[in-house]
Amino acid sequence: MPLLRGSLRAAWRALCPVRCAILAALDDPQGGALLLKSTSTDVYENLAAEDWLHEYVQSRGREVLLLWRNCPAVVIGRHQNPWQECNLKLMRDKGVQLSRRRSGGGTVYHDLGNINLTFFTSKKRYDRRGNLELVISALRGIRPHLDILATDRYDLVLNGAFKISGTASKIGRTSAYHHCTLLCNSDRSLLSSVLRTPHQGLKSNATPSVPATVKNLWEEDPTLTCDVLMDAIAAEYARRHGLQNQIVLIDPKDNLALPGVNKFTQELKSWDWIYGRTPKFSVSHSFSMDHNVSGAEVKLNMSINHGRIENCNIEVLSNWLPSAMCDQLSTDLIGNKFCPTEAMVLASAHLRVCPQDNELHNKWNVLCEQVMAIM
C-alpha cells in the first residue's frame, strides 16, 4: 500500500506536529532501533499496525519492537481452518473475536493477560532464536529463578514442560517480522475451551496446530504482571540497541498518524479474509432428530471452498421429513457462506412456505438447528 510521499508528508507534518511522532521516529536519519507500544486492545487494529509497520519498515531498514495486547480473541495462522481450530459457537457466545493473521503457524488465544511482541528487521537480520533469547534474558534479569528455554520449534517453555510462548513469522522481499506471545495471567479455562473444535467429521489439508500444555508466568510468580514483563522486555531491547528505553505510543486506529492503516484494519475484519481464505475442506455429520424414534437419523455431508458451500447432501428418511424439503435446502445452501446466519435465513424462508403443521415445523427446526450448529 502506498504511504504518504515525501513532500506531502512534510506538509502534513507541519500541520500535525503531535500526531506525526511515529513517522518522525521512523524517519529518523540516524536509523537506529525503535520501541513502540500500541494503545489499542483491538485485535484487528493491532494486526493492522503490524501490516502497516511491515510496509513502512521495509523501505527503511529499521529495527522495531512493537508491544501490544488484545481483548479476548482467537488468532489463526494464514493457512489455517477456523472450524478445525476452534469452537466458533462458544466464541460467539462469549464475545471472543476471531482473526486471521498474515503470518503462518498455529492458532493462539489472546486476552489482556497475554503479551504480544513483534520484532521487525530487515530480511538479512531476521533472527527468531535471537529474539527469544532476548525475552529469556529479560525474564531472567528480573526473576533469576525462572527456568525458561527456547525449543526447536521456537516456543518458550517453563520448567521444561509448560508452553508460555508461541511464535510465528512473515518474511517479505527485503524485510521480515517475528511475533510471539507471552502468557502472563490469561484465562486458561477459556483458552482451552475456545481452542477445542467440536467437529469430529472434518477433513482438511489446512495447517493444523500442535496442542501443548500451557501455564501462566503469574502462576509461577504472582509478582509477574503484564506491566512488569513488558517493562523488562523493553529495557532489555533498549539495552541491546543502545536506546534510552523511550517507548513511542501508537494508536492503530489513527489514520492520520499511520496513513493508510484503516484500510489494513478493514481487510483484516472482513469475512472474505477471516473465513474466505480457508483452504477447501469437507464436513460429515450424523445426528438423531429423535432418539425415541427409529429411523430419525440424519446424515449431512458438505464440501466447503473459500468459506462457501460447494456441495451439500442431507439424507433423512422420507417418512420423517419430506425428502423434497431436505433436497431443496441442500440445493439452496450451495454457493452460500458456511455460516449460521445465512443458513438461518434460508431455513426461515423454507418454513414460511411449509404447510401449517406444528409437528413438521418442529422437526424442521431441529434439523436446521443441527445444520447451523456445525457452522
Side-chain angles (χ1 to χ4, degrees):
M1 175 184 296
L3 298 167
L4 285 178
R5 304 198 179 279
S7 59
L8 179 59
R9 189 166 61 245
W12 172 81
R13 250 197 219 110
L15 295 173
C16 308
V18 176
R19 305 182 87 170
C20 70
I22 177 62
L23 290 176
L26 286 169
D27 284 341
D28 185 351
Q30 300 299 319
L34 190 61
L35 265 169
L36 304 177
K37 184 177 181 180
S38 173
T39 60
S40 174
T41 56
D42 181 281
V43 63
Y44 306 112
E45 292 174 359
N46 283 323
L47 289 175
E50 276 194 328
D51 291 342
W52 189 93
L53 285 165
H54 181 60
E55 291 282 328
Y56 210 97
V57 170
Q58 185 164 266
S59 62
R60 285 157 179 78
R62 301 294 299 276
E63 291 196 42
V64 178
L65 170 59
L66 173 66
L67 306 169
W68 46 292
R69 291 192 293 163
N70 291 322
C71 288
V74 169
V75 185
I76 62 174
R78 184 184 182 99
H79 307 294
Q80 290 197 295
N81 181 326
W83 292 275
Q84 183 181 21
E85 295 296 328
C86 48
N87 189 326
L88 294 173
K89 183 180 185 305
L90 179 62
M91 289 168 58
R92 290 190 288 265
D93 292 343
K94 297 289 186 180
V96 177
Q97 300 276 24
L98 174 69
S99 61
R100 182 188 298 272
R101 60 180 185 270
R102 298 192 190 277
S103 62
T107 298
V108 290
Y109 169 79
H110 291 181
D111 62 20
L112 294 178
N114 173 79
I115 297 166
N116 295 283
L117 312 166
T118 309
F119 297 86
F120 299 87
T121 63
S122 65
K123 186 176 180 179
K124 291 181 179 180
R125 296 180 65 86
Y126 169 75
D127 183 5
R128 274 205 288 186
R129 184 161 293 277
N131 295 334
L132 295 178
E133 290 298 335
L134 183 152
V135 175
I136 293 172
S137 295
L139 297 181
R140 287 177 177 167
I142 58 172
R143 301 293 186 273
H145 64 279
L146 291 177
D147 177 12
I148 301 175
L149 295 173
T151 70
D152 292 339
R153 293 179 53 83
Y154 299 105
D155 296 328
L156 293 181
V157 295
L158 177 68
N159 300 332
F162 303 103
K163 183 175 176 179
I164 59 170
S165 175
T167 189
S169 61
K170 177 177 173 60
I171 301 176
R173 184 175 56 84
T174 60
S175 67
Y177 66 74
H178 160 224
H179 49 195
C180 58
T181 59
L182 191 60
L183 287 172
C184 177
N185 60 340
S186 282
D187 184 338
R188 287 206 292 124
S189 175
L190 187 55
L191 180 156
S192 62
S193 297
V194 298
L195 296 187
R196 187 182 303 120
T197 178
H199 292 297
Q200 301 298 320
L202 189 151
K203 295 181 180 179
S204 172
N205 291 324
T207 304
S209 295
V210 178
T213 304
V214 300
K215 188 175 185 178
N216 284 308
L217 284 166
W218 177 85
E219 297 173 72
E220 188 76 5
D221 185 335
T223 66
L224 289 175
T225 65
C226 285
D227 287 338
V228 168
L229 293 171
M230 293 175 82
D231 288 346
I233 293 167
E236 180 64 16
Y237 187 84
R239 184 186 69 79
R240 294 192 178 200
H241 291 85
L243 304 177
Q244 298 301 312
N245 198 21
Q246 182 176 0
I247 298 177
V248 177
L249 299 179
I250 64 169
D251 181 358
K253 63 178 174 290
D254 190 341
N255 204 55
L256 291 176
L258 309 178
V261 72
N262 286 350
K263 188 171 182 179
F264 285 115
T265 305
Q266 292 308 310
E267 181 182 359
L268 289 167
K269 292 172 70 172
S270 70
W271 188 95
D272 285 339
W273 172 255
I274 298 173
Y275 298 98
R277 289 297 182 113
T278 303
K280 186 174 181 177
F281 67 102
S282 63
V283 174
S284 296
H285 185 57
S286 298
F287 57 92
S288 177
M289 292 180 63
D290 189 336
H291 295 288
N292 298 316
V293 178
S294 175
E297 186 80 2
V298 176
K299 294 182 180 180
L300 173 67
N301 292 283
M302 288 186 183
S303 60
I304 297 93
N305 194 17
H306 298 301
R308 291 182 178 272
I309 300 169
E310 196 171 57
N311 289 295
C312 180
N313 183 45
I314 302 174
E315 296 181 15
V316 60
L317 291 180
S318 58
N319 63 350
W320 179 250
L321 262 180
S323 57
M325 290 180 65
C326 296
D327 291 344
Q328 188 61 51
L329 178 61
S330 297
T331 300
D332 289 348
L333 283 170
I334 294 174
N336 282 278
K337 294 175 181 176
F338 187 64
C339 76
T341 303
E342 292 206 357
M344 184 183 297
V345 171
L346 284 172
S348 298
H350 279 275
L351 200 59
R352 286 195 294 270
V353 297
C354 282
Q356 295 300 312
D357 182 322
N358 288 337
E359 183 180 358
L360 179 63
H361 281 209
N362 289 335
K363 292 178 180 179
W364 182 256
N365 285 331
V366 171
L367 170 65
C368 293
E369 285 173 6
Q370 288 288 341
V371 172
M372 290 184 286
I374 67 172
M375 296 181 173

